[in-house]
Amino acid sequence: KMIYLKDYQAPDYLIDETHLTFELYEDHTLVHAQLVMRRNPACGAGLPPLVLDGQQLELLNLALDDRELTAADYQLDDSHLTLQPTQERFVIDSSVRIHPESNTALEGLYKSSGMFCTQCEAEGFRKITYYLDRPDVMSKFTTTVSAEQHSYPVLLSNGNPIATGSEGDGRHWATWEDPFMKPAYLFALVAGDLWCVEDRFTTMSAREVTLRIYVEPENIDKVQHAMDSLKKSMKWDEEVYGREYDLDIFMIVAVNDFNMGAMENKGLNIFNSSCVLARAETATDAAHQRVEAVVAHEYFHNWSGNRVTCRDWFQLSLKEGFTVFRDSEFSADMNSRTVKRIEDVAYLRTHQFAEDAGPMAHPVRPDAYMEISNFYTLTIYEKGSEVLRMIHTLLGAETFRKGSDLYFARHDGQAVTCDDFVKAMEDASGVDLSQFKRWYTQAGTPRLEVSESYDAAANSYRLQFRQSCPATPGQAEKLPFVIPVELALLDAEGRELPLQLVGEDKPVGRSRVLQVTQAEQAFTFLNLEAKPLPSLLRGFSAPVKLSFPYSRDQLMFLMQHDSDGFNRWEAGQQLSVQVLQELIGQHQRGEALVLDQRLVTALRSVLENASLDQAMVAEMLSLPGEGYLTEISDVADVDAIHAAREFARSELASALFEPLWARYQANRELSRSTAYVAESAHFARRSLQNIALSYLMLTGKAEVLAACLEQFEVCDNMTERLAALAVLVNSSFEAEKNEALKSFAEHFKDNALVMDQWFSVQAASTLPGGLSRVQALMQHPAFTMKNPNKVRALIGAFAGQNLINFHAADGSGYRFLADQVISLNASNPQIASRQLGPLTRWRKYDASRQALMKAELERILASGELSSDVFEVVSKSLA
Ligand code: ZN
């Protein structure tokens, strides 16, 4: 069943107070709810029936204003409880029985590694009690949790603890009160045997806040990095957005079984343990940075999400796009800004652009959905963040801040829409954003074609822009977007020239933001004595596919000279794409592959440039991935893409052996002589060391193998160890590979997160026989389909990263994935639906693969009772 934005109606009733009591037992849980309700005064007269949401609840008692109701007084179906109020104000008391102990969907109240925890966003609260489970119903919550004391010494919920007590029968209880009104999706409860690390933060108005991170006892040595990240986040939000924390206590709990990354429940964030736990020996640099970013993201939601929340789920990007933008700026401030931008753009272009071009394409503010869980997407999150970044670019940092201040002041305590956000930005800036808002309503990735002409007689240079946007499901025609294009014009030495447009009496800056607002539009620059070279879309100022007819020599020039670090990297990517596409063509024509030596020259000068940030060197050495090469192809030739990229990598490795080896050894020496530090200069050094190693191993030289084995064995951190393991796994040194895998598993068998990495590097290995390796690993004692991290580590990594094996011409990869989706559909629909992604991209492939992929989608469709999650994705993919 489809839900439409246009059908939105304000709730008939409001819930002023919510009083919950949970009695947790091993074989069931009782939930008592007292709802203090009233007719919504905004909705006119009369008392319509009250329709409460509820799923998988066993109703034990129901009372209206202390009057016990009998079955004749209400109607029950599998998702609603309907009854008739008799007054404007009334109180509902209900008791239900639920079964967290057998909840494998990990939505609502469930058990993970012996502890009770919750995930209510988006619509999980209705699996806990009968309620108006929609974000525009906000209530003041009081929660009492009762459980057996020995197994569940820690009892947590939102807000502040106000009372605790013992029940005398080995059970105890605690009551929590959250003074802030909130929708049910922000409710949380935790009960377990947990330890915590405690710290303090003093806010800008000198309020003292207690900070606690709760984990299983054996992980207590892995929380310091998350705690440091939390304090940095709190400080940053005060400094950059003027946002202060508002309760006396802020808690994070790490759980092992979690469908997503983390959840911003008021005062009680619940995290996937992979986004909390980090220490040198067990977590890579990337994991450390992810922990920092996710801690910040969930903390920032306290304002962008909780204090100001969403009116309905179509507005999800209101909080998610904004909060991703906030966390990415935070990460940019904590680490290297340029590197963070490169990582985000590479990710967006590979994955979000693919989503935008596929059957599930939807606008940043969708207007229809079947299952809201399917809309926690790259479009809502990452493209949503790009939309906010464009507003920031158009308005400037200072005006953007005025707009966000106005937004928070105007809507504190409310559930609002994306329109309300844009309105605040308009009111604070005086800028009309009505055309800009098409970014919220039109799906698809715009294309921006740019051409140039230079008039030597007039000393003028003209850039002609043509924008278009491909059709997406339900949207055949698109209107022009507002596309901010930051650009500079470079002279023959790479210096930025003064920019004077026709109509301007003097130059205005040397790097500026033009707004392309029409389907075709030209800008003419004056007073240019020679034809300049444009540096376009600096910092990736808009999420579009830009094309400009650069020659390879011009791209090499930009790689060296562009003063915009992002565009230096981008020039290298475009050069690599051109070179790789040439190799792909050669492979398809059955010709011998010949690498354009200009790529070697360009990367040699990058490697030999000692003044470049090492993380930039590492990024520039990374060739565009097979996923990105697939995304930019009309029909992706899996084998040719893989062969071309592997050929280029091995040619580069031999041609650049000396500088790679020198860079490797210098950095490895530093790693050997300094203790691990989780800071960006060290991340940079190790990332160059590890990418150098991955190239060097392609040469098969004995001294490289020896270095790799030495790095694997003698290091104090997971970044070096895992990188060495990954290159061994992708090599043909069978004995060394097997020995390394064995010793690694032996050493880390009790650490689930490290074992996830061990599964992942093997699942992603592109050597032949990938599927049978994955099938064998599914039998490993550390693997289980019940844990989403394991599913992602093995099945997700195989289907999402190991393209050459997943797309095996016989369809075995597709059949395998469909089998896993069918099995997950019954246990965990959200995870099942997410694993489906690679199969939905069938339009990208040749006819024979298309047929095989579609057949598997059909088989899933016919496999029995499908969850709404899986049904929506499969049916839309086949439509
Ligand atoms: Zn979020």
Side-chain angles (χ1 to χ4, degrees):
K1 179 165 156 283
M2 275 287 195
I3 320 249
Y4 296 93
L5 170 59
K6 64 175 165 46
D7 294 341
Y8 173 82
Q9 288 196 324
D12 288 332
Y13 293 95
L14 303 177
I15 309 177
D16 293 323
E17 293 172 36
T18 301
H19 302 282
L20 302 170
T21 302
F22 289 80
E23 296 179 56
L24 307 174
Y25 298 98
E26 290 312 309
D27 57 355
H28 72 284
T29 286
L30 300 176
V31 185
H32 310 286
Q34 179 172 78
L35 312 180
V36 179
M37 303 193 59
R38 70 186 149 100
R39 174 82 170 117
N40 184 354
C43 285
L47 294 174
L50 170 65
V51 184
L52 297 170
D53 303 297
Q55 286 174 1
Q56 300 163 38
L57 307 173
E58 182 190 345
L59 182 60
L60 304 174
N61 284 297
L62 183 66
L64 173 61
D65 289 327
D66 288 332
R67 185 173 71 87
E68 273 307 314
L69 300 187
T70 61
D73 301 317
Y74 57 83
Q75 292 95 55
L76 259 189
D77 65 26
D78 63 0
S79 51
H80 300 103
L81 166 61
T82 306
L83 57 91
Q84 184 57 55
T86 54
Q87 306 173 74
E88 298 263 307
R89 289 174 179 275
F90 54 94
V91 176
I92 304 261
D93 276 284
S94 72
S95 297
V96 300
R97 186 181 353 248
I98 56 176
H99 291 281
E101 71 282 359
S102 57
N103 177 350
T104 57
L106 314 185
E107 188 187 41
L109 179 65
Y110 64 95
K111 287 194 88 172
S112 171
S113 308
M115 66 194 271
F116 287 90
C117 61
T118 52
Q119 172 56 38
C120 294
E121 187 180 4
E123 297 180 335
F125 195 74
R126 60 189 62 188
K127 296 166 111 186
I128 292 177
T129 191
Y130 287 104
Y131 205 75
L132 296 176
D133 188 8
R134 44 187 288 170
D136 56 354
V137 172
M138 300 172 75
S139 185
K140 217 182 126 207
F141 281 71
T142 314
T143 305
T144 298
V145 187
S146 141
E148 200 271 319
Q149 176 145 23
H150 181 75
S151 305
Y152 309 100
V154 173
L155 306 174
L156 309 174
S157 189
N158 316 86
N160 301 309
I162 55 168
T164 56
S166 155
E167 288 165 26
D169 51 356
R171 295 179 65 84
H172 70 145
W173 58 270
T175 299
W176 292 76
E177 184 182 71
D178 183 353
F180 291 94
M181 301 286 279
K182 67 167 177 288
Y185 84 87
L186 291 172
F187 170 80
L189 174 158
V190 168
D193 182 5
L194 301 168
W195 286 9
C196 78
V197 165
E198 183 170 313
D199 207 328
R200 307 189 69 70
F201 181 81
T202 308
T203 69
M204 59 189 184
S205 70
R207 293 188 33 258
E208 289 288 317
V209 181
T210 300
L211 312 176
R212 285 198 192 134
I213 301 183
Y214 287 91
V215 294
E216 292 174 284
E218 69 264 29
N219 290 326
I220 198 72
D221 61 343
K222 305 185 189 73
V223 292
Q224 191 55 46
H225 181 67
M227 184 62 89
D228 293 341
S229 303
L230 175 59
K231 289 188 283 181
K232 287 183 197 167
S233 306
M234 295 177 84
K235 186 114 199 86
W236 188 91
D237 212 15
E238 293 185 346
E239 287 171 355
V240 180
Y241 280 86
R243 299 294 114 201
E244 188 174 355
Y245 188 62
D246 53 12
L247 287 165
D248 300 334
I249 181 164
F250 183 83
M251 298 173 282
I252 289 175
V253 180
V255 309
N256 296 326
D257 303 280
F258 202 77
N259 283 346
M260 309 266 288
M263 179 62 211
E264 70 266 22
N265 317 300
K266 183 74 187 191
L268 179 55
N269 289 357
I270 297 182
F271 273 58
N272 187 321
S273 53
S274 70
C275 297
V276 184
L277 306 178
R279 63 177 288 130
E281 295 82 352
T282 51
T284 61
D285 291 347
H288 279 80
Q289 288 172 86
R290 174 143 170 85
V291 167
E292 182 181 79
V294 178
V295 166
H297 179 97
E298 306 309 332
Y299 174 73
F300 295 157
H301 268 316
N302 190 54
W303 276 95
S304 50
N306 301 3
R307 290 289 289 258
V308 182
T309 195
C310 300
R311 187 192 72 173
D312 54 72
W313 293 117
F314 298 102
Q315 320 297 328
L316 182 56
S317 197
L318 171 74
K319 72 177 178 79
E320 295 304 346
F322 189 18
T323 305
V324 172
F325 175 60
R326 279 150 56 67
D327 84 58
S328 65
E329 284 295 293
F330 165 77
S331 294
D333 285 345
M334 297 299 120
N335 303 289
S336 158
R337 177 165 286 273
T338 306
V339 170
K340 170 67 178 162
R341 190 67 187 137
I342 289 169
E343 290 167 355
D344 286 353
V345 171
Y347 187 70
L348 181 88
R349 287 204 295 216
T350 303
H351 303 291
Q352 195 279 327
F353 282 16
E355 182 170 283
D356 241 350
M360 284 290 289
H362 55 278
V364 166
R365 192 192 59 202
D367 35 34
Y369 61 74
M370 208 177 286
E371 171 53 62
I372 186 58
S373 294
N374 284 330
F375 285 77
Y376 286 74
T377 60
L378 296 156
T379 300
I380 301 294
Y381 278 69
E382 324 303 326
K383 187 176 183 179
S385 165
E386 294 299 322
V387 169
L388 271 277
R389 180 177 298 279
M390 288 189 285
I391 297 179
H392 188 272
T393 301
L394 293 170
L395 266 46
E398 222 171 284
T399 307
F400 184 89
R401 167 65 192 272
K402 286 202 188 102
S404 76
D405 284 353
L406 179 60
Y407 169 72
F408 289 125
R410 193 183 266 177
H411 299 298
D412 190 8
Q414 300 177 4
V416 303
T417 64
C418 298
D419 291 327
D420 293 317
F421 181 89
V422 175
K423 183 77 168 62
M425 288 289 158
E426 288 184 316
D427 291 350
S429 65
V431 173
D432 176 359
L433 294 170
S434 45
Q435 185 187 345
F436 180 85
K437 282 168 72 175
R438 289 175 187 161
W439 283 107
Y440 284 94
T441 54
Q442 298 188 139
T445 307
R447 289 163 203 276
L448 189 57
E449 280 170 52
V450 192
S451 57
E452 63 176 355
S453 57
Y454 179 66
D455 181 339
N459 278 359
S460 72
Y461 178 72
R462 192 176 124 100
L463 285 174
Q464 172 86 27
F465 293 83
R466 273 185 46 204
Q467 63 160 303
S468 61
C469 183
T472 47
Q475 294 186 338
E477 303 291 333
K478 317 284 166 115
L479 298 169
F481 291 87
V482 174
I483 303 178
V485 179
E486 185 178 342
L487 59 75
L489 300 179
L490 307 183
D491 71 10
E493 271 71 55
R495 288 176 302 227
E496 295 174 353
L497 293 159
L499 300 176
Q500 181 178 0
L501 286 169
V502 165
E504 293 174 342
D505 51 9
K506 58 175 189 337
V508 184
R510 290 164 186 263
S511 183
R512 53 194 279 191
V513 179
L514 304 182
Q515 291 184 39
V516 176
T517 58
Q518 296 154 28
E520 298 207 20
Q521 199 171 347
F523 295 87
T524 303
F525 298 89
L526 304 175
N527 293 327
L528 295 160
E529 256 129 59
K531 184 177 169 192
L533 182 62
S535 165
L536 297 163
L537 207 71
R538 294 185 137 195
F540 202 64
S541 58
V544 301
K545 292 189 180 178
L546 179 128
S547 62
F548 180 84
Y550 287 118
S551 69
R552 292 186 197 177
D553 293 321
Q554 287 174 325
L555 291 169
M556 288 175 74
F557 180 87
L558 288 172
M559 276 177 84
Q560 295 237 16
H561 297 290
D562 199 323
S563 45
D564 184 69
F566 175 85
N567 267 10
R568 273 205 306 282
W569 170 79
E570 173 63 9
Q573 292 293 293
Q574 287 188 35
L575 175 64
S576 306
V577 165
Q578 286 193 19
V579 170
L580 289 166
Q581 284 177 337
E582 184 172 72
L583 293 170
I584 290 168
Q586 291 165 358
H587 184 274
Q588 288 169 332
R589 294 187 298 273
E591 298 166 12
L593 304 192
V594 185
L595 183 74
D596 184 336
Q597 291 302 302
R598 282 175 289 192
L599 186 60
V600 177
T601 309
L603 294 184
R604 180 187 301 279
S605 65
V606 166
L607 267 172
E608 286 171 350
N609 184 345
S611 67
L612 260 184
D613 171 8
Q614 303 214 69
M616 274 296 283
V617 178
E619 292 293 350
M620 297 192 74
L621 287 175
S622 311
L623 296 180
E626 292 180 16
Y628 182 61
L629 295 168
T630 300
E631 207 289 313
I632 60 176
S633 314
D634 292 326
V635 177
D637 184 335
V638 182
D639 305 290
I641 287 174
H642 183 69
R645 192 170 180 280
E646 287 307 303
F647 174 78
R649 282 184 2 105
S650 88
E651 289 288 290
L652 289 167
S654 344
L656 299 174
F657 185 83
E658 273 82 32
L660 284 166
W661 188 230
R663 280 293 181 121
Y664 173 77
Q665 286 184 307
N667 282 320
R668 172 65 187 138
E669 184 47 43
L670 280 168
S671 296
R672 238 188 253 113
S673 57
T674 34
Y676 179 92
V677 190
E679 277 175 11
S680 70
H682 298 259
F683 297 153
R685 176 165 67 64
R686 286 186 288 269
S687 65
L688 178 53
Q689 174 188 326
N690 286 333
I691 191 163
L693 179 62
S694 74
Y695 274 108
L696 291 163
M697 277 289 274
L698 298 174
T699 65
K701 290 191 202 276
E703 70 259 43
V704 178
L705 175 62
C708 181
L709 291 171
E710 194 261 358
Q711 169 170 331
F712 177 74
E713 280 150 24
V714 189
C715 61
D716 67 351
N717 65 85
M718 186 51 68
T719 307
E720 289 185 274
R721 180 158 287 129
L722 189 71
L725 181 67
V727 297
L728 279 170
V729 163
N730 278 288
S731 78
S732 48
F733 299 110
E734 293 304 321
E736 289 81 357
K737 171 193 314 192
N738 294 330
E739 177 53 32
L741 282 169
K742 193 162 141 259
S743 79
F744 189 101
E746 185 52 39
H747 193 120
F748 293 108
K749 62 177 182 303
D750 297 325
N751 186 320
L753 295 174
V754 177
M755 289 305 285
D756 290 344
Q757 306 291 307
W758 183 83
F759 283 116
S760 249
V761 293
Q762 297 177 78
S765 163
T766 56
L767 296 177
L771 178 59
S772 48
R773 285 194 302 275
V774 169
Q775 284 169 322
L777 286 167
M778 287 181 71
Q779 306 306 316
H780 190 278
F783 184 80
T784 162
M785 289 287 274
K786 294 218 168 77
N787 176 257
N789 289 352
K790 290 280 175 293
V791 172
R792 284 184 279 257
L794 195 50
I795 297 160
F798 173 69
Q801 295 168 41
N802 196 344
L803 303 185
I804 189 73
N805 277 300
F806 174 64
H807 291 281
D810 63 0
S812 52
Y814 309 147
R815 201 172 322 123
F816 167 77
L817 186 62
D819 285 340
Q820 306 318 313
V821 169
I822 291 167
S823 122
L824 285 164
N825 174 66
S827 57
N828 188 331
Q830 288 184 22
I831 297 299
S833 162
R834 270 168 200 276
Q835 294 306 313
L836 259 173
L839 276 178
T840 67
R841 313 260 188 265
W842 58 268
R843 280 183 185 79
K844 273 281 170 203
Y845 298 93
D846 55 79
S848 131
R849 285 188 172 91
Q850 285 199 2
L852 292 164
M853 294 172 92
K854 278 198 285 189
E856 294 304 328
L857 289 165
E858 305 275 11
R859 184 162 72 85
I860 295 170
L861 202 55
S863 68
E865 212 173 299
L866 290 187
S867 58
S868 54
D869 309 63
V870 171
F871 178 78
E872 178 172 31
V873 175
V874 174
S875 56
K876 286 184 177 173
S877 307
L878 288 168

